Amino acid sequence: MTDRDDVPFDLASMRKQYRAEGLSETALAASPVEQFARWFKQAATDGGLFEPNAMIVSTADAEGRTSARTVLLKHFDEQGFVFYTNYDSRKAHDLAENPYVSLLFPWHPMARQVIVSGVARRTGRDETAAYFRTRPHGSQLGAWASAQSSVISTRADIDAAYAELAARYPEGEQVPVPPHWGGFRVAPQTVEFWQGRENRLHDRLRYLEQADGSWRVERLSP
């Protein structure tokens, strides 16, 4: 849009003044995963978030061309953050070429963000199968019906594929785990906790993994 009068909002003046309590080094947990668990519990219980486990996964291919999408975090522990996808998807192809990945949790109602940078590796098939069994029947069928990221002619194509699968595997019948579907575990190398503050002077505390497996915390200028 080039005509200023056609812009529906004055974007330059759109902002919120954050008045949240600050984040200090002394209040942090010993590890980033423990600190994430604290914040995630707050986000999931009283953060006013629709899907607190939604995160933006950013990847880059071998040529450095980036892409991003929102997926759901399905597990986390000291070994990393786990999500599931089609291994033929764009994100999976990117990670096969370049395993470095960024995860962003945009908890805007709380004026918080968590940014994880690390390396992604596929989960084992046993772990993948165990999670697949917890998915609703329709989601299990969907993992087979969708050739994720591929071009399709019409919506009817995928609806027909799903209907065929639903007939083959009716409700109550076990759906096999697709060989092209599974998890990625992102082992964190840095984890930044961002807390909004007044006058855009936000608190940014970042954990950095050390060679001995311990974590060092540094404060970043907002």
Side-chain angles (χ1 to χ4, degrees):
M1 301 177 72
T2 58
D3 189 338
R4 191 177 183 88
D5 292 336
D6 290 339
V7 178
F9 303 103
D10 181 4
L11 299 179
S13 66
M14 292 180 69
R15 62 178 56 84
K16 297 290 186 181
Q17 182 68 280
Y18 303 133
R19 303 184 184 279
E21 184 178 342
L23 180 63
S24 68
E25 289 85 345
T26 57
L28 289 179
S31 77
V33 172
E34 184 182 348
Q35 181 63 33
F36 180 84
R38 291 180 184 177
W39 271 23
F40 185 80
K41 182 178 180 180
Q42 293 174 1
T45 55
D46 55 14
L49 295 157
F50 175 63
E51 287 187 313
N53 61 327
M55 60 184 184
I56 299 168
V57 177
S58 298
T59 59
D61 64 16
E63 284 71 48
R65 293 171 296 197
T66 59
S67 61
R69 73 288 293 161
T70 301
V71 304
L72 297 179
L73 176 71
K74 287 300 176 181
H75 179 74
F76 69 90
D77 56 26
E78 293 294 339
Q79 281 66 56
F81 300 80
V82 179
F83 66 92
Y84 291 86
T85 188
N86 188 310
Y87 285 147
D88 293 325
S89 65
R90 178 175 178 177
K91 72 178 85 58
H93 282 296
D94 282 358
L95 292 173
E97 297 176 345
N98 179 359
Y100 293 98
V101 61
S102 175
L103 312 176
L104 168 63
F105 295 86
W107 295 333
H108 301 309
M110 305 177 70
R112 286 179 174 177
Q113 299 180 76
V114 180
I115 305 167
V116 178
S117 296
V119 177
R121 295 284 185 266
R122 290 188 180 189
T123 59
R125 294 309 293 173
D126 288 346
E127 184 176 356
T128 289
Y131 168 70
F132 188 80
R133 297 291 172 228
T134 71
R135 287 164 62 93
H137 182 74
S139 296
Q140 293 181 10
L141 297 178
W144 280 100
S146 173
Q148 195 173 87
S149 300
S150 65
V151 177
I152 57 176
S153 299
T154 67
R155 171 72 194 199
D157 292 345
I158 197 167
D159 289 340
Y162 182 90
E164 181 180 340
L165 286 160
R168 189 185 313 170
Y169 302 107
E171 190 76 41
E173 185 169 332
Q174 187 174 87
V175 179
V177 181
H180 56 272
W181 188 94
F184 281 101
R185 173 173 283 100
V186 179
Q189 297 177 326
T190 69
V191 184
E192 179 184 332
F193 292 86
W194 184 103
Q195 176 67 72
R197 299 292 300 277
E198 286 187 285
N199 303 314
R200 294 301 184 261
L201 298 178
H202 314 305
D203 286 327
R204 298 175 61 190
L205 297 180
R206 180 171 63 185
Y207 291 80
L208 291 91
E209 186 182 31
Q210 304 300 288
D212 63 358
S214 64
W215 295 93
R216 176 168 61 87
V217 175
E218 59 187 10
R219 178 175 287 271
L220 304 178
S221 176

